């Protein structure tokens, strides 16, 4: 019983990750890194397996405004 639940959760995670991975490869990677927009789509598809596995982390990065993604702090100490 518990094993069936864990397997179902795992497949759900991978299913959501596969869908998000397609979005990330086509549009999301360019949102995080503007230089990725110029890469050929077939080359960007190499990102799909990793984006499928790491989709929660990448989702946060895609939803974060671009100003805070850069990590540059312009205040002097």
């Amino acid at each position: 019983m518990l094993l069936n639940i864990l397997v179902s959760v795992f497949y759900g995670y991978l299913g959501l990750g596969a869908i998000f991975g397609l979005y990330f490869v086509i549009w999301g990677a360019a949102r995080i890194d503007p230089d990725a927009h110029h890469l050929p789509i077939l080359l960007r598809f190499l990102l799909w397996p990793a984006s499928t596995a790491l989709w929660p982390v990448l989702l946060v990065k895609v939803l974060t405004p671009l100003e805070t993604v850069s990590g540059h702090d312009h205040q002097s100490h």
Side-chain angles (χ1 to χ4, degrees), residues 31-32 60-73:
R31 177 157 163 67
I32 292 174
V60 169
K61 286 194 169 282
V62 167
L63 295 177
T64 302
L66 294 176
E67 294 80 28
T68 59
V69 170
S70 66
H72 294 294
D73 189 10

Side-chain angles (χ1 to χ4, degrees), residues 18-59:
I19 293 167
F20 175 80
L22 288 175
Y23 162 77
F24 183 77
V25 165
I26 296 170
W27 296 289
R31 177 157 163 67
I32 292 174
D33 183 2
D35 291 332
H37 179 70
H38 302 293
L39 293 174
I41 191 72
L42 292 176
L43 183 61
R44 283 192 273 164
F45 266 100
L46 291 175
L47 300 173
W48 187 66
S51 62
T52 297
L54 300 173
W55 71 267
V57 174
L58 294 172
L59 179 63

Side-chain angles (χ1 to χ4, degrees), residues 3-16:
L3 184 60
N4 289 337
I5 293 171
L6 290 175
V7 169
S8 296
V9 168
F10 177 71
Y11 283 143
Y13 181 89
L14 283 182
L16 289 173

